[in-house]
Amino acid sequence: MPKFELAAKFKPSPEQDRVIKELKQGLDAGISDQTLIGVTGSGKTFMMANLIAQEQKPTLILAHNKTLAAQLFAEFRNFFPNSAVKYFVSYYDYYQPEAYIPQRDLYIEKESEINKTIEKYRNAATQSLLTRPDTIIVASVSCIYGLGDPDDYEALSREFTTGGNYNREKILQQLVAMQYERVANDFTNGTFRVRGDNLEIYLTSEDVALRLEFFGDEIEAIKLINPLTGEVLERPNVYRLFPAKHFVTPYERLKSVLPTIRADKEREVAAFQAKGKQIESYRLEQRVNFDLEMMQETGYCTGIENYSRYLDKRAPGTPPATLLDFFPDDWLLFIDESHITIPQVRGMYNGDKMRKENLVNYGFRLKAALDNRPLQFDEFRKRLHQTIYTSATPNEYELELSKNAAKKANLKGTAEILIRPTGLLDPIVDVRPPDYAVKEQLVASLTEAGYTDMSIFQNPQQKRNQIDDLLVEIQATVAKSQRVLVTTLTKRMSEDLAGYLVELGIKVTYIHSDLDAIKRVEILKDLRLGKFDVLIGINLLREGLDLPEVSLIAILDADKEGFLRSHTSLMQIMGRAARHEQGRVIMYAQSVTRSMKSAIDETFRRRKTQETYNEKYGITPTTIQKAIEDSLVRMDNDKDKADGEENISLMKRIENFPILETKAQKVVLKEIEVQMEIFADALEFERAAEYRDLLNNLKGGH
C-alpha cells in the first residue's frame, strides 16, 4: 500500500520543529480544530508537508483561489513526488449561470466555457481518492459544490483483467452508461472506438488511451497508449476504468425516478395555474417535458444536475454530495489563508440560493433545483474530521474555535511561528503622499497616529506625483534584477497603469480574475523568470503567493480603507516582500488610517522579533532560493519537455518523414499541429510559427 514519503533537501528548523510537534500533539489527542499562525516565509507549507508525512492520511488543502491552489499544488508535488497529488478547481474559464431577472423579464441561459485541462485534473482527483490512500487534493472553494454521488461513481466503474472473459457488446453498453461517447474518428477525452478486435477508450483523467485487445471474449492484453501515435506507454495486468463524468446514475434508477419528476412537475404546474400564472406553468411544462424525454432516451440532459436530488434519492432540502464525500472517514484538512477562505465558504450558499429562487418562482426550474447547490457552512463543518487553519492573520473565528476544541486536552489549539529559518526580516515600510503638496498633512497625520520617528516618511530630493515616484522606484529596482508588485483598487486602474508603463519601456503586465486560471499561473511564472519585471494587480497579489524575486511592493491608495485596504489585506500584501533580503513596501497615502497604523506596527514588531533572533544565533538574512516550475499546473503523466527542449521521438520521425508509410505520415502531421496549438495557446508565437512552417513544408512535399 503506497505511503506518503516526504522528499525534502532540508530538515525543519528548531522553531518549525516546535510548531510541528505542537500540532501533531493536537492531532494525536483528537482535537478537531487547530490554527497555525505563521508569518510569510516561515515555511507553513513545509510544516504542513511534515504533518501529512507523519499522519499518513488522505489530505485536502483548501485555498481561496485557483492561483494560490496552483502554487500549492506545485509545491506539494515536489514534497511528495511518489504520491497522488492532485488539483481540483472550477473547470470554467467562463461561466454565466442560468438566471432570471424579473424586473426586466430577462432570462439568461447558462453559458460556459470549460477548460478541458482542468476537467482532467478534477477527474484524476476523484479517481485517486477512491484508489490510493496517499492522496493529497489541492482545491479551491468550488469543492463544496455538488459533484455527483461517489457511491454511484464508484459502482459504475469497471475493472478489467488480462486473461479475463468479458462480453464485448455488454462492455460497449456499459461505456455508454458511464457517459463515454462512441466515435469513429474524432478520438478525444471521454470517447471510445472499436478497431477490429481492439477497444480503445480515451481516458478523462489524462491524455492517455486504454486499449483492450480481445481474442473472442478474452482480453489478451491491456495497454495504455499515446492516443496520437499508438505508442505503448504501460502494460498493466489490471486496470480500473471510472465514468467519464461525475454526474452518473445507473440507468435503471434513472428510469425509476422519472415518474417522480413528472409528478412533481404536474403538481407545480397546477400550483402556477391555480394562481393564474399561465406563463410560468407553460414554461415549466415545456422545460421539464423536454428534459424528461432526453433522460428517457439518452440517460442525460443539459442541466441534469438540477435533478440531482431525484437521482441521488435525497429528501428535499438535503445537501448534495461534494468532493468532501469522496474522502474516507479519517482524513486531514488544511484551510490555507483561512482568514479569507472561511468567509468565502460561508458566503457561497446564499448567493446561489437567491439566483435559483428566481428560476423556481418564475417557472424555469422545478423546486428540486434548489437542492443543487453549494454546502451551507454548518453542512461543511459536519463533513470535516480534523482541521488545521493556516494564516499569518487568522480571524477570531478560527482562533476561538481552536481554543475551545483544545480545552478538553489541556492544549493551546494554536501554534505560532514568527521566525523565518532564512533570517529574513519583515519589509521596511515607507509612507509617501500621492502628491508632495500634501506633505504637511501626512506628517500631521503620522504625528496624530503616534509616530515620533519620521523615518517612515522619506522625502525624495524632488517633488513628484505618485506615478512619477513609482516609475523612479521601479527603474531602481529593475536595475538590480529584482521584481516589483503594484496593487491598485480596480481592474481598470491596473490595466491603464500597465499600459502607461509599457509606453515608457517598462516590461510590465497585469493580473486579475478575468484571466483564466492557467494563464494567471503562467504570468506568475514569467514574472519569476524575468520575462517582465513589474506585475500590477488588485487582490490576487496577496495571500500566499511565493515570489522570492520580488523586493518592492507599491500600494496605491493605501488610505482608501475598506476590504482591499484593511489591516489584514495590508499585512498580506506587505508579506509578499518578506521573501527578499532587500524587501520594502511603499504606501502611497494622504493620511494614515487605523488599518495602516496597525499593519505597520505589527510589521515593525515582527521585524524586531526576527532581528533579535538573528543576533542571538548569528543568522545573516538570505533571500529565499526557490526553483521555478516548468508549469505550476501539470498532470502526473505529463510527458512535455521543459522550455527549449524538443520531443526527440517526434523529431526523429520528422527526419524520416519521406520514407514513412502514409498512415504514419498522417500521425506525424497531426502531432506537429498539436504542438503548434500548444505553443500558440501559451502565447509562444515564434515557436508556434516554426511548427506551422514545418507543417506546411511537409504537407507541400507530401
Side-chain angles (χ1 to χ4, degrees):
M1 184 176 293
K3 293 185 176 181
F4 290 111
E5 295 180 1
L6 179 59
K9 299 178 181 179
F10 44 89
K11 295 182 178 180
S13 69
E15 280 293 289
Q16 288 175 332
D17 190 55
R18 171 186 61 79
V19 169
I20 293 168
K21 287 179 178 176
E22 288 180 11
L23 293 172
K24 181 66 167 66
Q25 187 180 9
L27 292 172
D28 292 344
I31 294 175
S32 59
D33 302 276
Q34 297 184 89
T35 300
L36 166 57
I37 308 171
V39 296
T40 301
S42 58
K44 293 191 291 294
T45 306
F46 180 52
M47 289 183 277
M48 290 158 63
N50 275 271
L51 285 167
I52 292 170
Q54 293 181 28
E55 287 294 297
Q56 292 291 320
K57 296 176 182 179
T59 301
L60 172 63
I61 298 165
L62 189 58
H64 67 279
N65 66 47
K66 296 178 181 180
T67 309
L68 177 57
Q71 178 182 286
L72 291 168
F73 170 59
E75 291 179 348
F76 279 99
R77 277 177 56 92
N78 289 332
F79 284 135
F80 299 102
N82 300 318
S83 296
V85 182
K86 305 298 179 182
Y87 183 66
F88 189 98
V89 300
S90 169
Y91 54 23
Y92 295 114
D93 281 341
Y94 168 75
Y95 182 64
Q96 171 59 61
E98 183 184 28
Y100 179 67
I101 305 173
Q103 297 85 347
R104 298 168 58 190
D105 190 24
L106 176 63
Y107 172 71
I108 303 171
E109 195 168 353
K110 177 182 174 180
E111 187 179 349
S112 63
E113 183 178 333
I114 292 176
N115 188 305
K116 296 295 184 182
T117 302
I118 294 178
E119 186 177 24
K120 286 183 286 189
Y121 300 160
R122 289 166 63 92
N123 283 305
T126 51
Q127 292 174 22
S128 291
L129 280 172
L130 297 176
T131 57
R132 296 184 62 166
D134 63 330
T135 296
I136 298 172
I137 307 296
V138 183
S140 67
V141 292
S142 62
C143 71
I144 70 168
Y145 273 89
L147 188 62
D149 191 318
D151 293 333
D152 290 339
Y153 184 75
E154 188 170 19
L156 283 172
S157 66
R158 188 69 194 268
E159 188 171 275
F160 301 102
T161 306
T162 302
N165 287 306
Y166 302 85
N167 184 310
R168 197 167 70 156
E169 289 303 314
K170 189 174 181 180
I171 289 176
L172 299 183
Q173 293 173 8
Q174 290 173 336
L175 288 174
V176 173
M178 295 164 70
Q179 299 298 324
Y180 288 91
E181 180 184 358
R182 184 168 182 172
V183 297
N185 297 312
D186 191 18
F187 196 41
T188 56
N189 296 101
T191 64
F192 69 95
R193 64 189 180 188
V194 179
R195 291 187 160 187
D197 292 332
N198 296 338
L199 170 60
E200 294 179 350
I201 307 157
Y202 204 134
L203 304 181
T204 57
S205 58
E206 51 188 314
D207 286 324
V208 173
L210 172 68
R211 176 186 288 165
L212 304 177
E213 298 181 356
F214 283 87
F215 182 77
D217 287 341
E218 181 185 345
I219 293 181
E220 281 194 318
I222 300 174
K223 298 176 181 177
L224 294 175
I225 64 171
N226 183 319
L228 284 174
T229 65
E231 177 189 358
V232 178
L233 306 174
E234 191 178 344
R235 299 173 184 265
N237 290 320
V238 180
Y239 191 86
R240 187 178 182 187
L241 180 68
F242 284 90
K245 301 180 184 294
H246 287 110
F247 286 98
V248 288
T249 305
Y251 187 62
E252 290 304 316
R253 189 201 302 165
L254 187 146
K255 285 177 60 179
S256 72
V257 302
L258 295 183
T260 306
I261 298 174
R262 189 172 287 108
D264 281 356
K265 179 258 303 182
E266 291 172 357
R267 187 182 308 107
E268 292 180 33
V269 166
F272 278 130
Q273 291 174 344
K275 296 177 182 178
K277 297 183 176 182
Q278 300 302 321
I279 294 176
E280 287 83 352
S281 68
Y282 178 78
R283 282 174 183 159
L284 193 62
E285 181 90 36
Q286 295 299 309
R287 164 65 65 86
V288 179
N289 282 346
F290 179 80
D291 290 345
L292 285 170
E293 185 176 345
M294 292 297 297
M295 286 188 281
Q296 178 75 45
E297 295 298 321
T298 68
Y300 192 81
C301 74
T302 302
I304 194 171
E305 62 273 10
N306 290 296
Y307 301 95
S308 61
R309 187 236 286 169
Y310 301 106
L311 303 177
D312 299 341
K313 296 211 166 177
R314 290 185 280 123
T318 53
T322 68
L323 178 69
L324 306 185
D325 296 285
F326 282 76
F327 281 84
D329 293 336
D330 190 10
W331 58 290
L332 188 60
L333 169 65
F334 290 93
I335 300 183
D336 198 44
E337 306 297 345
S338 59
H339 64 281
I340 194 167
T341 305
I342 290 293
Q344 280 194 355
V345 173
R346 283 185 181 276
M348 292 174 77
Y349 170 77
N350 286 331
D352 184 83
K353 181 183 178 184
M354 290 176 63
R355 177 177 60 82
K356 289 218 174 78
E357 280 180 339
N358 274 342
L359 292 169
V360 170
N361 293 338
Y362 289 89
F364 291 95
R365 287 292 176 190
L366 290 175
K367 290 179 180 178
L370 295 171
D371 293 324
N372 169 44
R373 56 176 177 80
L375 298 176
Q376 299 180 39
F377 190 71
D378 62 334
E379 295 167 344
F380 168 75
R381 286 281 302 159
K382 287 176 182 177
R383 282 159 171 75
L384 308 185
H385 184 61
Q386 287 187 297
T387 304
I388 296 177
Y389 309 90
T390 72
S391 175
T393 55
N395 289 322
E396 282 300 317
Y397 171 80
E398 301 98 281
L399 296 173
E400 192 66 23
L401 198 65
S402 300
K403 179 182 176 182
N404 292 334
K407 277 184 180 179
K408 293 181 180 178
N410 291 319
L411 298 173
K412 294 188 298 181
T414 60
E416 184 176 24
I417 180 169
L418 299 178
I419 302 300
R420 301 180 178 91
T422 57
L424 287 170
L425 306 173
D426 277 77
I428 296 171
V429 182
D430 180 6
V431 181
R432 300 183 183 180
D435 187 328
Y436 282 93
V438 298
K439 175 189 172 185
E440 292 77 12
Q441 179 185 343
L442 179 60
V443 171
S445 178
L446 287 165
T447 304
E448 185 180 345
Y451 291 100
T452 56
D453 182 5
M454 289 295 129
S455 63
I456 193 173
F457 177 78
Q458 300 179 8
N459 191 16
Q461 296 295 319
Q462 57 185 8
K463 292 183 178 180
R464 48 183 183 248
N465 62 39
Q466 65 176 347
I467 302 302
D468 292 336
D469 186 72
L470 176 61
L471 180 61
V472 172
E473 294 291 349
I474 288 173
Q475 291 170 332
T477 304
V478 171
K480 296 184 287 186
S481 300
Q482 298 167 10
R483 313 286 187 264
V484 181
L485 297 184
V486 182
T487 66
T488 65
L489 290 176
T490 67
K491 296 176 183 178
R492 178 68 180 271
M493 288 172 64
S494 65
E495 293 174 6
D496 288 349
L497 180 56
Y500 175 72
L501 293 177
V502 166
E503 293 177 357
L504 298 177
I506 304 296
K507 293 193 294 182
V508 58
T509 192
Y510 62 85
I511 185 171
H512 53 59
S513 58
D514 286 353
L515 304 176
D516 69 62
I518 294 179
K519 178 61 178 175
R520 289 180 233 161
V521 173
E522 290 302 317
I523 286 174
L524 296 176
K525 171 191 165 186
D526 289 345
L527 177 69
R528 297 197 60 202
L529 287 170
K531 292 185 179 180
F532 52 88
D533 301 308
V534 182
L535 182 58
I536 304 174
I538 310 164
N539 61 342
L540 291 179
L541 303 181
R542 290 173 20 196
E543 287 81 5
L545 293 185
D546 193 351
L547 304 168
E549 294 78 12
V550 172
S551 67
L552 174 62
I553 306 289
I555 305 174
L556 304 185
D557 300 306
D559 54 348
K560 299 296 189 291
E561 195 150 20
F563 173 72
L564 296 177
R565 296 294 182 263
S566 65
H567 164 82
T568 299
S569 293
L570 291 173
M571 287 295 301
Q572 291 290 339
I573 294 169
M574 293 191 292
R576 296 321 101 207
R579 288 182 167 88
H580 199 287
E581 60 190 278
Q582 298 179 30
R584 57 197 185 97
V585 175
I586 300 175
M587 292 184 179
Y588 291 98
Q590 293 185 355
S591 61
V592 177
T593 64
R594 182 181 301 175
S595 295
M596 288 173 62
K597 182 179 184 308
S598 61
I600 294 168
D601 287 345
E602 178 61 16
T603 300
F604 182 78
R605 181 183 76 88
R606 294 179 177 184
R607 185 178 175 88
K608 287 296 183 184
T609 301
Q610 185 74 56
E611 283 179 336
T612 302
Y613 185 87
N614 291 354
E615 185 177 345
K616 181 177 179 180
Y617 294 99
I619 297 174
T620 301
T622 306
T623 298
I624 294 172
Q625 301 295 319
K626 187 174 181 178
I628 301 175
E629 299 288 331
D630 292 333
S631 179
L632 291 178
V633 181
R634 65 188 191 277
M635 294 298 292
D636 285 51
N637 69 320
D638 193 355
K639 308 299 183 187
D640 291 343
K641 303 295 183 180
D643 290 347
E645 294 185 29
E646 302 290 352
N647 186 322
I648 297 173
S649 176
L650 176 60
M651 291 299 110
K652 285 183 177 180
R653 283 182 286 127
I654 290 172
E655 291 174 6
N656 298 324
F657 188 84
I659 62 175
L660 295 177
E661 297 180 356
T662 302
K663 184 178 179 181
Q665 286 182 335
K666 289 181 178 179
V667 170
V668 170
L669 293 173
K670 181 64 176 176
E671 267 197 89
I672 294 171
E673 186 178 341
V674 169
Q675 290 295 325
M676 178 182 70
E677 292 174 354
I678 289 172
F679 284 121
D681 290 342
L683 305 182
E684 297 184 28
F685 299 116
E686 292 183 1
R687 297 289 300 278
E690 291 174 8
Y691 277 91
R692 179 202 62 200
D693 295 341
L694 178 60
L695 185 66
N696 291 335
N697 290 337
L698 292 178
K699 283 183 176 179
H702 179 58

